[in-house]
Each structure stands twice: as structure tokens, then as C-alpha cells.
Amino acid sequence: MSASHMSAHDKFLFDLNGFVVVRNVFSPSEVASANAAIDANAAKLCAREETGLRNAQEASLHGAAGPRLDMGGMLGWPKPHSDVFRSVLAHPKLIPYITELCGEGYRLDHQPLIVAQNKDSEGFSLHGGPISGDDGQPKGKFNPELQYRSVNGELWTSLLAVSVHLVDHGPGDGGFCIVRGSHKLNFPVPGDVAAGLTPGFEEHLHHPVTKAGDVVIWSEATVHGATPWRAERQRRFALYRFSPANMGYGRGYTELPPHFYDGMTPLQLAAVLPPYATRLERAIVTVEAARDRPDEPAPIKARSAAKKAFDKSLFGTNFF
């Protein structure tokens, strides 16, 4: 049976490090199904070969000759290929973490993607962090898009990454790396450090060792990246980002056709709603609903009929 809440131990680790690894979320058969779906759609993988699409300088800690391979759209694949990927949206083992870290009524933010890497393909220079670097915000300023807080024992992050590992990531393999504790930074990451050009900085990079089916969860306020993939097997993971109910970073959801969501469960549909507050009758993903009534409408917090009627008279809509 899945826990209803993130454990005190995992909350401590997340506050300490800015990430946590959740073990054995997906079974070997689910991992096999996800990989079979990727194999069936492998022609859609897009190589980041052009200079403007590369994620690291080749002669750096994060660079290598080969390109990364990306693929999106798996939530809209026909069944059964979409099943495992859609399950992430309201998975009983993940709901406690996403709810704890994004709050009640969490939502899928960016469109999720599959990342694949062959041996000796490039990683990704360091990015993220609560103080802006070269990311569009004025450098060295507070970055409102990537923040983390812990107040009165409650955790919160403005953007949460959830990475489903579909192959083992062992010692020395490369891949995802993170700077532990950097979600509490007070200074921007120096450009040469972010680019992987500072000798010796690799001692500050942590590579979580994972098995296929494990899930790595981190705040986007935690500085992270990847080093080149060195294993013989192809690296594969599915990357999702979630945000609080009334916040939005990505905008791709505004362009998706309605049929993209056909066949989703009520709870999965609740997770892909646009941003608005829970008190405006937002459908909410909960562990109890996922466990006990997954095919029933998602729970909501009802707004009073009188207030809705008043809003209707003012604005012509049920909600302000």
C-alpha cells in the first residue's frame, strides 16, 4: 500500500540536498513496457546535432562528441504505449512527493519528454538555481521562476522535476548530476563553473546511482546538469516537470489538440489542467482517490453557490 505522505526522512533529505530518489516506483514489467513503447516510436527521436542545440561545450566536463536524443508526445501515443507515461501524472507512489513539494492541486507544467543517450554522447552544462545565471533573468538577481522554501516544516518549490529512469545508472556511467544543497544558493553559479570549465569542480557533482524503475525528484532551484554518458547501454529516462496549482512556466499545453488527452483517467486529467487556484473548484489529485476510486471524478473543493452566482452576475462566468 502506498504511503499518503512523504516521510519525515525523505523531507529531511530533500531539504538538505534539494533532491530525493524514490526506489522501485515502477516494476520490471512496467519498465519493459515503457522501453518497448520507445522502441516502437524510435524514429521520432530527434538528435540535438546543430551547434545551437548542443547542451555543452565539447571540451568541457559536460561535453562529448555525440548528441543527445530527445522525443516528446508520449502522453498522446495510442494505448498501450502511453500507459506507463500517463501513469506518472497520478501515480500512488509519487503523489505524496509531488503534493508535498508543489502543494495540493499540483499540475503538469512542461510537456514531458524522453531523453536517450548512446555511449560518449554529451551531457548538459549546469543550470537551474534560485539566483539567475544566463537564463533570461538579469544575472545575479532573484529568480522567481525557480525557488525553494521550507516554512514551519512544510516544503515548497516553484518547479519540480520528476525523472523516471528506464535503465540502470551505475557508478562511472555519467548522466544526471546535481550540486547538493544548491537550492539554497545566495550567489549565481559562475559561468565557467556552469560550463564545466573549472578544474576540480567535479568533486561537487553528485551522480545518484539508480536502478531502472527508480525515480529522481529534484527542485529546479537545485543546480543540476549531466556529464557524458559512458556506458555501453543506451541511457533512457522520461522527464516531467510539475508546478503548484496556480503557477505556470511552460506554455505548450495551450497548443495541444483536445484529443491528445483522450482515454486519460479523471485523476490524470486533473494533473493537466491549466493553472488556477484550488479554491476555484480545481480537481485535485490525491493518494486516496488514486488508491480507492481511480475511475471516479477527482475530488474538488466546492465554491459556494452564492459566490458563483454573484460572479456570474458580475462577469458572466462562474468564477472571477
Side-chain angles (χ1 to χ4, degrees), residues 156-179:
W156 178 88
T157 188
S158 59
L159 192 63
L160 184 73
V162 174
S163 180
V164 180
H165 285 199
L166 298 174
V167 300
D168 294 353
H169 289 59
D173 286 345
F176 177 74
C177 62
I178 197 161
V179 182

Side-chain angles (χ1 to χ4, degrees), residues 60-109:
S60 74
L61 180 63
H62 305 282
R68 197 177 89 170
L69 307 174
D70 292 359
M71 175 166 55
M74 65 274 201
L75 295 185
W77 288 348
K79 294 173 71 68
H81 290 165
S82 61
D83 287 347
V84 173
F85 301 109
R86 286 183 169 191
S87 75
V88 176
L89 303 177
H91 196 289
K93 293 181 180 178
L94 297 176
I95 295 170
Y97 291 87
I98 306 173
T99 300
E100 180 69 45
L101 296 165
C102 289
E104 186 179 60
Y106 70 78
R107 57 179 295 272
L108 181 70
D109 194 278

Side-chain angles (χ1 to χ4, degrees), residues 45 59 66 107 121 131 143 146 149 151 160 168 182 184 197 236 248 253 256 259 281 295 310:
L45 284 165
R107 57 179 295 272
S121 59
I131 306 298
N143 186 353
L146 305 178
R149 292 290 184 274
V151 180
L160 184 73
D168 294 353
S182 56
K184 303 176 184 179
L197 300 174
R236 287 182 176 181
Y253 70 90
L256 293 175
H259 65 78
E281 295 191 353
D295 298 320
F310 190 68

Side-chain angles (χ1 to χ4, degrees), residues 194-205:
L197 300 174
T198 302
F201 192 78
E202 57 267 29
E203 69 178 273
H204 301 286
L205 302 182

Side-chain angles (χ1 to χ4, degrees), residues 183-224:
H183 55 321
K184 303 176 184 179
L185 277 178
N186 291 297
F187 297 92
V189 178
D192 58 341
V193 171
L197 300 174
T198 302
F201 192 78
E202 57 267 29
E203 69 178 273
H204 301 286
L205 302 182
H206 174 68
H207 293 78
V209 174
T210 60
K211 294 290 187 181
D214 292 346
V215 176
V216 183
I217 299 176
W218 71 92
S219 169
E220 287 281 353
T222 314
V223 176
H224 58 284

